[in-house]
Amino acid sequence: MTDPQRIRNFSIIANIDHGKSTLADCLLSITGALSKREMRSQYMDQMDIERERGITIKAQTARLNYTASDGLEYTLNLIDTPGHVDFVYEVSRSLAACEGALLVVDASQGVEAQTLANVYLAIDANLEVLPVLNKIDLPGSDVEGTRREIEEIIGIPTDNAVCISAKEGKNVDQVLENIVKYFPPPKGDPNAPLQALIFDAWFDSYQGVVILVRVMHGRLPLNSNILMMHTKSEHEVLKLGVFTPRSVEVDSLGVGEVGYVVSGVKDIRDIKIGDTITSVKNPATEALAGFKEVKPMVFSGIYPVDSSDFENLKAALDKLSLNDSAFTFENETSDALGFGFRCGFLGLLHMEIVQERLEREFNLNLVTTAPTVLYKIKTIKQEELFISNPCDMPPSQNIESIEEPIVHVTIHTPEEFLGNLIKLCEERRGKQTKLHYHSPKRILLEYDMPFNEIVLSFYDKLKSVSKGYASLDYDFTRFETSDLVKLDLLINGDPIDALSWIVHKEKSYYRARDLVTKMKGFIERQMFEVIIQAAIGSKIIAKERIAPMRKNVIAKCYGGDISRKRKLLEKQKEGKKRMKQIGKVEIPQEAFLATLSID
């Protein structure tokens, strides 16, 4: 076991594309954790999708051995955390395992929204924050301006900030020196009962669930019996180890050490992120603070394009859920789309990642319904219902009130896009809570906004009106009563359940008009008339008509009595009536996708 005074546990906080993975690669290289032959770009990002998008989805750890300028050897535990708001709880647990955080800011872009959200998590967790100004080699970098932004917006001094170029490896050794100098060593009682924090877990095909832990108090030895304090389940420690970043087995983990535990758990749902591990023989009296159950916030139906792929989709979802306890799914049937699944996600990025992995890794063709959020409904019988699918909404006469989730939105933008962004937020029923100039040309904009206004194309619109310069972050705050209605789409009088929406009453007419107009463009003409309607309850509020194709049945009549032509036209009319009674309108898959872009 390592002397706790020689241990430094830290994470890296950064916005997407500010150079977090590049800095992690540099730290691995300088400390000799990997040889030149083993080294590859974005080493800590294991998935292809992480590399391509420049984001971290799963937390990774690496134990680095570093000899500082004082001649002593230190153990530095790098805990690489996800950067996106969807994974905010996982980030908070990873930060709870650290004593310090490197705040990486792109000197050419300045402080952005996700940076701000995660650095406040670090400050709330009483971590020592060390600013690192990256990309100083770029011609557009503004080191002094970025220093001012960090001090004014975040409120932390930049006297000990390190200016680096992670791409060129410039001044990265100074970052290591400052980690040793400014980050405090872990505190904990080695003789106290065991308390170890679970900050991540994943499923391994050969070993079962691998649990990442940080020991807070006591000692975690191999072959001991452990207790999960929230789930009350008992297990035996079959394997202990650390990542250097290669897996290296050890006999025990002491105070301040970060490592992994394998205990034969087969289902990742049995392990809760944020839970506390203690000893069965000498258990701790209370669990570590901060634990909470992670609940999905965004829901969407996923259906195979080819119904014969249903079993393949089920198997794919089972495999994905093995490594993602926050992802949920259950069977769902749609009259329009057949058999599929109702899936729950932490947020929009989480949903996008799961869908992309299903299509890419499992070679599936999928149709996805419009994302919805969780609504709280109070019935006239005083029952409380939580629904995520518009089809589950009770009849309006049985509803006393509907509450929708409200999120606090933080937007960082250059000054010239302010007007467009305010207009966008106001259109989405946002209420402004803050507008602050943190530099002459950079603005912080904060809104309280209904979550269902964000899940549909808000991010795309924000990037469009700001030419890609604005950054967005959001955080769920509360449920709030609102005037919401269920909007149904009917084709020839039959409701299409997959295209039902829950919308605000004020916006229902505009949404209905857009929906029927868009659907008219996708449905092909039939031999009979097709009527597309949008309705709230029994009231039709928008309608479009697709005229039938008509065969010229009187083309063969040359002259003669008009009654012969009339007879042929009447016969055609009767035939079209019968066809309409039994005719089914085919709705192409593109129509379901097109509804996602309705504004």
Side-chain angles (χ1 to χ4, degrees):
M1 286 192 295
T2 312
D3 178 6
Q5 293 301 313
R6 302 272 184 87
I7 295 175
R8 300 290 184 271
N9 295 321
F10 70 99
S11 64
I12 304 176
I13 292 171
N15 198 74
I16 289 172
D17 203 34
H18 278 214
K20 182 172 76 160
S21 296
T22 313
L23 176 58
D25 289 346
C26 264
L27 297 178
L28 291 171
S29 179
I30 290 174
T31 55
L34 292 170
S35 65
K36 281 188 178 180
R37 184 175 59 83
E38 294 171 305
M39 199 67 208
R40 59 171 163 75
S41 178
Q42 292 173 264
Y43 188 90
M44 299 287 276
D45 295 334
Q46 301 293 321
M47 287 186 261
D48 290 339
I49 196 169
E50 289 181 305
R51 283 202 184 78
E52 288 169 18
R53 287 171 171 255
I55 57 176
T56 301
I57 298 167
K58 291 296 288 178
Q60 304 290 335
T61 64
R63 176 184 279 203
L64 314 174
N65 294 318
Y66 174 65
T67 304
S69 55
D70 58 9
L72 299 174
E73 188 173 291
Y74 291 85
T75 297
L76 312 180
N77 288 313
L78 164 59
I79 299 171
D80 191 21
T81 60
H84 197 271
V85 62
D86 287 1
F87 311 109
V88 66
Y89 176 66
E90 285 87 340
V91 173
S92 73
R93 296 303 85 211
S94 295
L95 292 175
C98 303
E99 280 75 37
L102 296 177
L103 171 62
V104 178
V105 180
D106 185 336
S108 64
Q109 294 186 54
V111 175
E112 297 202 68
Q114 287 166 23
T115 316
L116 205 62
N118 286 345
V119 79
Y120 284 149
L121 281 177
I123 292 168
D124 291 343
N126 295 319
L127 267 62
E128 186 69 36
V129 178
L130 175 65
V132 176
L133 277 55
N134 192 20
K135 304 191 183 181
I136 59 169
D137 55 311
L138 294 181
S141 66
D142 179 7
V143 173
E144 290 309 310
T146 307
R147 280 179 187 269
R148 279 196 304 275
E149 278 191 22
I150 292 171
E151 289 182 351
E152 289 172 14
I153 304 170
I154 302 169
I156 58 172
T158 56
D159 305 335
N160 55 353
V162 188
C163 300
I164 68 164
S165 168
K167 188 177 180 181
E168 296 179 355
K170 186 178 178 181
N171 296 341
V172 177
D173 53 347
Q174 188 56 48
V175 174
L176 290 165
E177 282 296 325
N178 282 17
I179 288 170
V180 170
K181 184 177 177 182
Y182 293 110
F183 290 170
K187 295 174 183 174
D189 184 356
N191 301 313
L194 171 66
Q195 281 182 311
L197 173 70
I198 298 175
F199 62 88
D200 201 10
W202 65 85
F203 183 81
D204 184 278
S205 305
Y206 301 102
Q207 303 179 104
V209 178
V210 179
I211 308 165
L212 284 182
V213 298
R214 147 76 197 269
V215 178
M216 298 295 188
H217 299 283
R219 179 173 160 270
L220 177 58
L222 190 63
N223 300 325
S224 60
N225 292 321
I226 54 172
L227 169 72
M228 310 293 177
M229 296 191 75
H230 285 280
T231 60
K232 305 298 180 189
S233 57
E234 293 185 15
H235 307 279
E236 184 185 355
V237 179
L238 304 176
K239 189 176 177 182
L240 273 180
V242 296
F243 290 107
T244 64
R246 294 179 295 274
S247 172
V248 176
E249 291 189 37
V250 296
D251 292 329
S252 66
L253 293 172
V255 169
E257 290 192 295
V258 174
Y260 67 88
V261 178
V262 175
S263 57
V265 180
K266 296 292 187 289
D267 189 346
I268 197 164
R269 294 177 189 84
D270 295 337
I271 301 299
K272 303 292 184 186
I273 306 300
D275 203 348
T276 305
I277 292 178
T278 191
S279 169
V280 172
K281 282 186 179 177
N282 183 24
T285 53
E286 58 183 30
L288 296 165
F291 172 80
K292 70 175 183 182
E293 290 274 3
V294 182
K295 291 186 174 69
M297 290 293 292
V298 175
F299 298 84
S300 177
I302 294 181
Y303 297 84
V305 169
D306 184 350
S307 56
S308 63
D309 276 340
F310 175 77
E311 288 300 326
N312 294 337
L313 175 59
K314 187 175 187 299
L317 291 171
D318 275 328
K319 285 179 183 174
L320 271 191
S321 65
L322 285 174
N323 273 323
D324 193 345
S325 57
F327 166 61
T328 63
F329 67 95
E330 58 185 28
N331 284 28
E332 183 178 66
T333 309
S334 162
D335 294 337
L337 297 171
F339 293 102
F341 296 92
R342 191 79 185 164
C343 302
F345 312 92
L346 293 173
L348 294 174
L349 179 76
H350 190 210
M351 182 178 84
E352 213 177 308
I353 288 164
V354 168
Q355 289 169 6
E356 193 168 329
R357 289 187 68 189
L358 285 170
E359 291 181 342
R360 183 189 297 192
E361 295 175 23
F362 301 98
N363 200 25
L364 292 167
N365 270 336
L366 303 173
V367 175
T368 309
T369 62
T372 63
V373 297
L374 199 65
Y375 297 94
K376 189 195 284 187
I377 295 177
K378 192 176 181 182
T379 66
I380 54 174
K381 293 181 179 178
Q382 301 304 303
E383 295 172 329
E384 240 185 28
L385 307 173
F386 286 91
I387 68 154
S388 61
N389 190 341
C391 299
D392 298 334
M393 193 167 169
S396 56
Q397 62 268 25
N398 296 343
I399 297 173
E400 185 178 298
S401 65
I402 305 177
E403 294 182 26
E404 62 182 344
I406 303 294
V407 292
H408 186 70
V409 175
T410 306
I411 300 169
H412 282 254
T413 176
E415 184 188 31
E416 60 263 36
F417 307 116
L418 179 63
N420 290 338
L421 288 169
I422 288 177
K423 184 183 175 187
L424 175 65
C425 293
E426 298 290 338
E427 284 173 355
R428 298 299 179 106
R429 299 192 285 132
K431 294 177 184 174
Q432 192 179 115
T433 58
K434 188 176 183 181
L435 194 157
H436 174 65
Y437 278 79
H438 50 70
S439 77
K441 292 189 177 181
R442 296 274 293 175
I443 296 168
L444 168 66
L445 195 59
E446 293 185 13
Y447 271 86
D448 278 352
M449 198 177 294
F451 197 17
N452 66 352
E453 296 287 349
I454 290 181
V455 296
L456 285 170
S457 70
F458 180 77
Y459 185 71
D460 294 339
K461 288 274 183 187
L462 176 118
K463 287 294 180 186
S464 177
V465 300
S466 68
K467 298 181 180 175
Y469 284 102
S471 61
L472 170 74
D473 186 60
Y474 61 86
D475 186 31
F476 170 74
T477 56
R478 65 189 182 279
F479 278 95
E480 198 173 86
T481 304
S482 187
D483 192 5
L484 300 171
V485 292
K486 180 187 174 189
L487 181 67
D488 290 311
L489 183 84
L490 294 87
I491 307 286
N492 282 351
D494 294 328
I496 308 298
D497 54 357
L499 292 174
S500 293
W501 297 38
I502 295 176
V503 296
H504 194 268
K505 198 169 185 179
E506 283 182 7
K507 288 191 164 192
S508 59
Y509 168 71
Y510 304 103
R511 187 66 59 84
R513 189 188 60 196
D514 289 347
L515 186 58
V516 295
T517 305
K518 206 146 208 171
M519 290 302 292
K520 183 181 178 180
F522 281 98
I523 295 175
E524 293 182 1
R525 287 179 72 188
Q526 310 289 323
M527 294 301 293
F528 51 87
E529 181 185 48
V530 177
I531 301 295
I532 306 167
Q533 297 167 311
I536 297 173
S538 58
K539 184 181 178 183
I540 306 297
I541 60 171
K543 176 183 172 182
E544 286 285 352
R545 173 183 177 270
I546 301 176
M549 290 189 286
R550 183 181 170 201
K551 181 182 176 184
N552 190 0
V553 292
I554 58 174
K556 59 188 178 183
C557 298
Y558 299 100
D561 188 50
I562 187 68
S563 61
R564 186 181 172 209
K565 294 181 181 178
R566 196 170 286 148
K567 199 181 289 181
L568 286 170
L569 290 171
E570 287 297 325
K571 190 177 178 183
Q572 183 186 45
K573 192 175 176 183
E574 287 301 316
K576 282 184 181 291
K577 266 188 187 174
R578 284 199 305 275
M579 190 181 286
K580 191 174 179 181
Q581 285 170 3
I582 61 170
K584 292 281 185 184
V585 181
E586 187 177 329
I587 301 173
Q589 311 296 349
E590 295 81 29
F592 294 96
L593 300 175
T595 59
L596 302 183
S597 61
I598 287 175
D599 189 14

